[in-house]
């Protein structure tokens, strides 16, 4: 386990270095914006895949943590004037606490109940955001910008530095989540997904493992929300709306649930798709809905699932397997 | 929080009558939507996330039919059967392809269709708020009960819904069709072995759900403003209703819908900011006390 963690760290360091150096060679504002948004969504979607792909828990309310991360970070920065790292840490505590409370009620339930109940809790959060106008600004969102004071010589109001910070958070978050799914805990989670009854017979505390997974997913989803609120310098009700969860579920399915990087691939595809679709038509829902149906009814699995299947069935791999035997 | 006005409301008969009637209106509309949702879940074991969109389509169908025909009776039937057709086509062509698969796929098909239906409504009827207006038949002075105002349309709405609820119960519990539906809910492969086409039956259950939701939409059209996206909020509420009443139970949906309706109206007097919260709080309490819901049997 330690070896794989070290290897992850080295690959991560290389990835961060490459991402940081890229704009020096290719200064492109659109690319920088795209990557910041991508980092936010990729963390959010990968955290959902912890539940869907590894835990077999299809949450349809994961957007609540995205919204919660964005709003609590934005409010802390606007109201208390604390430093960015302090607000970041406190936001993690807040999302973890909410995830613990919601998870304690939801994770016992069967899958379809689980999906709908998480959605119901998200809509509760959404209605709070809309109704509690003095705190959240209602349907206008948190306006007036989020102050982004410098800390340790880092100024996140500067788009280039925010880009670097987002890359570090993305890669760091992915390494941590990869470590989680490759740990004994991650394998226990897979066992529960495949056969919860047998896991319970083997002495696994199913409820506790599922709850921990729910809280961890909530935390990383919240970090995605923090990046987004830094990027737009605000927080809007859409962040907490159900469409956010729908998009995350679609990203996870689009990319594929059987590989760790599936949701990252899905994020890149969906963001590119968004940019193209909104450029050509105002009927975003109609187009996106049709594409979703194409994937769900046509391909019936994610892109990386499809490629993985194709790879495993290719004559070359089959021949290699035969030779190995 | 405003406990004082809640107490004073309970002290005056007029306030109680007004709140109870508007609670009944909310409850009746919720019941019609939730009954379809719970029926589809009971038989097919899927949650139809597009059910709110059926309600929305029913309301918009009503808007157009009423404008063309000026007959509210025709409007009610047209909207209900139009939505039933949508439900049938949706189930046969799309939903039936993802039964027994990963739930992710069912969720995605529904998500795709919610987006599509909302956009279709925007294209056909426009994105702004629309209202149908009260049919001439009901443009009569309100009735006063103990000093509280009760519009005649409200009485009609409640009466019709109670009749429909009774009919639905009769159909499910006392007819051959209902018996088959209950049998399919229990053991679909056994029923198909006995020579009954379960595929068509599934389509009909979806059509029945669409019929109820479309009827609810047409009943709501005179008293609610229509907007794309109106389906999603009622979807969440009717889900809460079915959780409280018990998934698959029509009686449970009725009781749950009435409870939620009353909680909403009296809650808006006593806790204006926390009305939604009260609903969720009640649902969580029921889930903790009886995870299968008040009238639920097996599944949870």
């Amino acid at each position: 386990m330690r070896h794989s963690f070290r290897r992850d760290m080295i690959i991560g360091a290389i990835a961060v270095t490459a991402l940081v150096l890229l704009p020096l060679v290719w200064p492109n504002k659109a690319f920088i914006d795209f990557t910041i948004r991508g980092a936010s969504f990729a963390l959010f979607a990968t955290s959902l895949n912890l539940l869907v792909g590894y835990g077999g828990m299809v949450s349809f309310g994961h957007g609540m943590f995205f919204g919660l991360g964005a709003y609590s970070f934005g409010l802390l920065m606007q109201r208390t004037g604390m430093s960015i790292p302090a607000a970041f840490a406190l936001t993690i505590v807040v999302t973890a606490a909410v995830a613990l409370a919601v998870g304690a009620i939801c994770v016992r339930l069967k899958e379809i109940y689980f999906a709908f109940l998480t959605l119901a809790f998200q809509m509760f959060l959404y209605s709070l955001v809309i109704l509690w106008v003095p705190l959240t600004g209602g349907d206008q969102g948190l306006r007036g910008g989020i102050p982004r004071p410098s800390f340790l010589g880092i100024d996140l109001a500067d788009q280039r530095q925010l880009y670097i910070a987002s890359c570090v958070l993305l890669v760091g978050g992915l390494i941590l989540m990869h470590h989680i799914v490759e740990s004994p805990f991650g394998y226990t989670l897979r066992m529960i997904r495949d056969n919860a009854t047998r896991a319970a017979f083997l002495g696994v505390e199913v409820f506790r493992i599922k709850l921990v997974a729910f809280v961890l997913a909530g935390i990383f989803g919240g970090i995605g929300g923090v990046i987004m609120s830094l990027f737009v310098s605000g927080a809007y009700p859409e962040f907490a709306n159900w469409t956010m969860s729908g998009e995350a579920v679609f990203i996870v399915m689009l990319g594929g649930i059987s590989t760790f990087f599936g949701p990252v691939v899905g994020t890149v595809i969906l963001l590119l798709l968004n940019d193209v679709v909104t450029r050509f038509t105002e009927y975003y829902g109609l187009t996106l809905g049709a594409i979703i149906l194409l994937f769900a009814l046509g391909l019936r699995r994610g892109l990386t699932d499809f490629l993985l299947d194709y790879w495993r069935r290719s004559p070359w791999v089959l021949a290699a397997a035969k030779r190995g035997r | 929080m405003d406990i004082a006005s809640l107490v004073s409301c309970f002290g005056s008969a007029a306030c109680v009558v007004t709140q109870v009637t508007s609670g009944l209106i909310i409850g009746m509309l919720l019941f019609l939507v939730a009954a379809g949702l719970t029926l589809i879940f009971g038989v097919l074991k899927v949650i139809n996330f597009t059910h709110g969109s059926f309600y929305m389509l029913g309301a918009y169908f009503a808007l157009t039919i009423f404008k063309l025909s000026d007959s509210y009776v025709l409007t009610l039937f047209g909207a209900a059967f139009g939505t039933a057709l949508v439900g049938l086509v949706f189930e046969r062509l799309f939903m039936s392809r993802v039964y027994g698969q990963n739930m992710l796929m069912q969720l995605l098909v529904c998500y795709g269709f919610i987006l599509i239906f909302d956009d279709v409504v925007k294209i056909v009827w426009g994105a702004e708020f629309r209202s149908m207006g009260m049919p001439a038949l009901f443009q009569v002075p309100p009735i006063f009960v103990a000093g509280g105002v009760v519009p005649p349309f409200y009485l009609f709405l409640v009466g019709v819904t109670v009749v429909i609820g009774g009919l639905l119960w009769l159909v499910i519990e006392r007819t051959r069709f209902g018996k088959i539906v209950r049998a399919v809910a229990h053991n679909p492969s056994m029923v198909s072995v006995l020579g009954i086409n379960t595929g068509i039956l599934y389509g009909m259950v979806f059509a029945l759900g669409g019929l109820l939701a479309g009827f609810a939409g047409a009943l709501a059209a005179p008293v609610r403003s229509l907007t794309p996206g109106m389906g999603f909020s009622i979807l969440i509420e009717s889900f809460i209703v079915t959780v409280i009443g018990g998934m698959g139970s029509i009686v449970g949906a009725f009781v749950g819908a009435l409870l939620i309706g009353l909680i909403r109206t009296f809650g808006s007097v006593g806790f204006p900011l926390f009305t939604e919260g009260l609903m969720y709080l009640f649902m969580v309490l029921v889930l903790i006390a009886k995870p299968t819901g008040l009238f639920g049997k097996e599944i949870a």
Side-chain angles (χ1 to χ4, degrees), chain B residues 31 39 162-182 208 250-251:
Chain B
F31 163 66
L39 190 69
V162 168
V163 169
I164 287 185
L167 279 178
L168 186 66
W169 184 85
L170 273 182
V171 167
I172 299 293
E173 297 291 329
R174 292 283 182 272
T175 65
R176 186 178 154 75
F177 172 75
K179 205 177 238 176
I180 297 172
V181 166
R182 280 179 290 138
L208 185 57
I250 289 175
V251 178

Side-chain angles (χ1 to χ4, degrees), chain A residues 14 58 172 181 195:
Chain A
I14 295 170
V58 180
V181 301
N195 194 336

Side-chain angles (χ1 to χ4, degrees), chain A:
Chain A
M1 228 38 70
R2 182 150 296 157
H3 176 72
S4 115
F5 189 56
R6 189 182 298 154
R7 200 190 60 186
D8 281 1
M9 292 294 274
I10 294 168
I11 295 174
I14 295 170
V16 169
T17 319
L19 280 169
V20 168
L21 290 179
L22 191 59
L24 298 178
V25 207
W26 184 49
N28 183 330
K29 187 149 182 341
F31 172 77
I32 288 180
D33 284 357
F34 184 88
T35 312
I36 300 173
R37 276 198 301 150
S40 162
F41 274 93
L43 277 178
F44 176 47
T46 309
S47 72
L48 177 62
N49 196 34
L50 283 186
L51 297 179
V52 174
Y54 294 93
M57 298 184 268
V58 180
S59 165
F60 202 39
H62 203 56
M64 95 179 96
F65 300 113
F66 191 84
L68 191 65
Y71 268 95
S72 54
F73 182 76
L75 280 171
L76 284 170
M77 292 310 292
Q78 273 188 349
R79 303 267 165 144
T80 66
M82 58 173 62
S83 70
I84 287 182
F88 185 77
L90 207 55
T91 300
I92 289 180
V93 174
V94 169
T95 28
V98 173
L100 190 68
V102 173
I105 297 166
C106 294
V107 297
R108 279 178 213 273
L109 301 167
K110 272 193 179 172
E111 53 174 13
I112 198 115
Y113 256 78
F114 176 78
F116 224 134
L117 208 65
T118 46
L119 173 62
F121 275 107
Q122 165 166 23
M123 293 319 284
F124 177 43
L125 180 80
Y126 180 71
S127 77
L128 272 186
V129 165
I130 294 289
L131 289 174
W132 203 346
V133 181
L135 185 71
T136 62
D139 53 9
Q140 299 287 315
L142 281 187
R143 290 192 304 172
I146 291 176
R148 289 173 284 189
S150 306
F151 62 97
L152 307 171
I154 303 170
D155 175 21
L156 293 186
D158 176 54
Q159 206 72 340
R160 285 286 300 280
Q161 299 196 25
L162 179 60
Y163 165 79
I164 295 172
S166 306
C167 292
V168 171
L169 279 178
L170 170 67
V171 173
L174 288 178
I175 290 175
L176 281 178
M177 281 191 270
H178 192 235
H179 192 57
I180 289 169
V181 301
E182 293 302 327
S183 69
F185 171 80
Y187 278 90
T188 316
L189 197 61
R190 287 184 187 77
M191 175 161 73
I192 292 173
R193 172 195 67 193
D194 294 336
N195 194 336
T197 321
R198 178 173 282 185
F201 283 155
L202 290 173
V204 173
E205 287 184 70
V206 174
F207 173 73
R208 216 171 67 189
I209 300 282
K210 278 180 148 184
L211 186 57
V212 171
F214 194 79
V215 172
L216 287 171
I219 289 173
F220 286 105
I223 295 176
V226 171
I227 296 178
M228 190 49 92
S229 75
L230 277 168
F231 176 60
V232 299
S233 187
Y236 301 98
E238 296 90 82
F239 293 174
N241 202 359
W242 69 275
T243 44
M244 210 64 209
S245 303
E247 261 174 35
V249 168
F250 182 46
I251 288 175
V252 166
M253 188 262 149
L254 192 64
I257 59 172
S258 50
T259 54
F260 180 76
F261 279 105
V264 180
V265 176
T267 302
V268 175
I269 301 175
L270 185 74
L271 287 184
L272 286 175
L273 212 64
N274 273 354
D275 290 353
V276 174
V277 169
T278 44
R279 193 169 303 160
F280 287 108
T281 166
E282 55 179 308
Y283 298 115
Y284 175 70
L286 198 64
T287 322
L288 189 66
I291 293 170
I292 290 172
L293 290 183
L294 219 63
F295 263 91
L297 297 172
L299 203 55
R300 284 168 178 257
R301 62 205 138 150
L303 208 59
T304 56
D305 299 339
F306 180 75
L307 292 176
L308 199 68
D309 257 17
Y310 189 77
W311 164 251
R312 278 184 188 146
R313 279 197 208 144
S314 71
W316 190 78
V317 174
L318 288 179
K322 205 172 273 175
R323 242 178 289 130
R325 206 172 298 142

Side-chain angles (χ1 to χ4, degrees), chain B residues 176-260:
Chain B
R176 186 178 154 75
F177 172 75
K179 205 177 238 176
I180 297 172
V181 166
R182 280 179 290 138
V184 168
H186 197 70
N187 189 341
S189 47
M190 193 65 213
V191 171
S192 77
V193 162
L194 291 174
I196 289 162
N197 189 335
T198 47
I200 290 179
L201 201 75
Y202 288 159
M204 282 169 76
V205 167
F206 251 83
L208 185 57
L211 188 88
L212 293 168
F215 197 79
L219 280 176
V223 287
R224 295 270 187 278
S225 48
L226 313 187
T227 150
M230 69 189 276
F232 202 78
S233 53
I234 201 161
L235 171 74
I236 302 292
E237 283 175 20
S238 40
F239 172 70
I240 294 175
V241 163
T242 48
V243 167
I244 290 173
M247 274 284 173
S249 160
I250 289 175
V251 178
F254 191 77
V255 174
L258 283 184
L259 283 172
I260 288 296

